[in-house]
Amino acid sequence: MASSTSYCRLVAFRSCGPLLKRSPKDIGSFISKRHEKSTAVFYERNKKGLDRDLKKRPLRHALKMSLQNFGPELKLLYQEQKEAFTRFPVISVDHGNYELVYSFNDADSVKSWAVTADRDNEGGKSTANFTFSKNRTGLFHGYLSKEVPKDGKTKYAGYANITSPKPMKSFGRESQMDWSHFNCLLLRLRGDGRPYMIVIGCNFYYDINWLNRWSYPVFTRGGPYWQHVKIPLGKFFTTHHGRIQDKQEFLPLKMINSVGITAADSAEGPFSLEIDSIALMNDINVSNKHAYEMYENKYYEVQC
């Protein structure tokens, strides 16, 4: 292990050597060329599941943005450290207690969510929007189109999704949420009769897990009445790139970093889902075990 670490340091030193002989104007292009040849030295995580490398930001632009954001980020770091020393750790949660995770009672909370559809990825003609409604709620609406583009690759179309912003720390550091004290997801919503999929993402370290999600369907009734949907966290099933996996795993409750809602029920036409809030709840009547079969063998240790 020590020899491999020393070798990586030597490669990094030799790769950075030419930077000392170049002007700052050429450093950005040099890094991008090096990135095409070797990802061991200059590397950015690609969590979009794309085969091509992401376009790197020029070094001069990155330094400029870092200097502009240094003051606000430093204040945010101070606030984080202050909260870490003053707040009390949560040891247990009583029955019936809940914690509000997302509330759509203002326009800023709605704008922070990312909206995508197959039209954005040149995979169809579906459209989607997430707007602040007159009822002071978030309105996820659009049109699902089943028309498949004639590109020779796409087989299915009709997809729209909204995803929550990922939790971030100061200086652009990725963070995560801890849901281990709760066992249910509580949603207050009002739909159009279509089924929707609740999708939960986690913060993994390895690229083979970046597209892993935990999903569960929600069936809306339609009409003017609100629904209070309570989903046990143990009922979320494992998917990878939208495909249900044979080997199911329990949702890693200490590594949550995103919550999304997907409309893709193979029915062409308009859709509309009004969302008031998303919360966590603890119910002693709900089992904390995984709801699906967990296969075990002597070569692989699975979660129970």
Side-chain angles (χ1 to χ4, degrees):
M1 187 69 181
S3 60
S4 62
T5 305
S6 302
Y7 173 76
C8 292
R9 291 177 179 175
L10 178 62
V11 172
F13 176 76
R14 290 179 177 177
S15 301
C16 294
L19 288 175
L20 303 177
K21 301 179 181 180
R22 292 176 178 264
S23 62
K25 183 177 181 180
D26 300 331
I27 290 179
S29 60
F30 172 77
I31 291 179
S32 61
K33 293 180 180 179
R34 292 293 303 178
H35 179 65
E36 295 176 359
K37 297 180 180 179
S38 173
T39 59
V41 180
F42 302 103
Y43 177 65
E44 289 183 358
R45 302 214 295 183
N46 180 0
K47 291 191 175 183
K48 294 187 177 181
L50 302 176
D51 295 332
R52 63 183 183 275
D53 292 332
L54 296 177
K55 186 177 180 180
K56 292 180 68 65
R57 182 176 298 176
L59 181 61
R60 176 175 295 182
H61 180 68
L63 292 175
K64 182 179 179 180
M65 295 298 295
S66 300
L67 293 176
Q68 290 178 353
N69 298 330
F70 182 77
E73 295 294 335
L74 191 62
K75 292 181 180 180
L76 184 58
L77 177 63
Y78 170 76
Q79 188 66 24
E80 292 173 359
Q81 299 299 322
K82 182 179 179 180
E83 292 179 357
F85 283 101
T86 56
R87 66 181 180 185
F88 294 96
V90 179
I91 300 176
S92 63
V93 178
D94 297 332
H95 170 67
N97 288 2
Y98 68 92
E99 179 180 331
L100 194 62
V101 183
Y102 303 105
S103 178
F104 305 101
N105 54 4
D106 57 69
D108 292 335
S109 61
V110 175
K111 291 180 181 179
S112 61
W113 282 54
V115 185
T116 57
D118 53 20
R119 186 176 185 176
D120 302 327
N121 303 319
E122 299 181 355
K125 295 185 177 180
S126 302
T127 59
N129 292 283
F130 192 41
T131 57
F132 186 60
S133 70
K134 61 181 181 181
N135 300 324
R136 302 190 65 82
T137 56
L139 182 61
F140 177 38
H141 60 98
Y143 188 91
L144 293 182
S145 174
K146 296 178 63 178
E147 183 177 348
V148 179
K150 299 178 181 179
D151 55 2
K153 298 179 181 179
T154 308
K155 298 181 180 179
Y156 309 99
Y159 165 87
N161 173 267
I162 54 174
T163 305
S164 65
K166 295 183 179 180
M168 302 291 291
K169 295 181 180 179
S170 57
F171 295 100
R173 294 175 296 162
E174 295 185 8
S175 183
Q176 54 198 15
M177 295 179 286
D178 185 2
W179 291 5
S180 58
H181 299 288
F182 303 90
N183 59 6
C184 293
L185 189 69
L186 189 63
L187 302 97
R188 187 174 187 266
L189 47 82
R190 179 166 55 183
D192 54 359
R194 284 178 179 264
Y196 294 86
M197 190 71 72
I198 309 299
V199 184
I200 299 177
C202 298
N203 186 22
F204 292 107
Y205 297 101
Y206 302 105
D207 54 355
I208 58 175
N209 302 119
W210 285 345
L211 297 178
N212 283 6
R213 299 291 185 271
W214 276 259
S215 309
Y216 193 79
V218 169
F219 300 93
T220 60
R221 293 192 294 259
Y225 300 105
W226 287 93
Q227 288 182 245
H228 293 82
V229 182
K230 183 172 66 175
I231 307 173
L233 296 177
K235 286 191 175 183
F236 281 87
F237 50 87
T238 310
T239 61
H240 182 84
H241 214 292
R243 296 177 175 87
I244 301 176
Q245 300 299 291
D246 294 332
K247 178 187 172 297
Q248 291 293 312
E249 300 179 8
F250 191 83
L251 175 64
L253 298 177
K254 293 186 177 182
M255 302 171 62
I256 308 299
N257 73 341
S258 68
V259 177
I261 301 177
T262 301
D265 58 351
S266 301
E268 184 167 351
F271 67 90
S272 177
L273 179 67
E274 193 173 357
I275 313 163
D276 179 66
S277 61
I278 301 176
L280 295 170
M281 180 181 177
N282 183 39
D283 190 347
I284 61 175
N285 300 314
V286 174
S287 175
N288 293 327
K289 295 184 178 180
H290 200 43
Y292 309 102
E293 294 181 349
M294 308 290 288
Y295 297 97
E296 298 182 9
N297 57 51
K298 61 181 179 180
Y299 300 107
Y300 193 87
E301 181 179 351
V302 300
Q303 303 175 6
C304 299

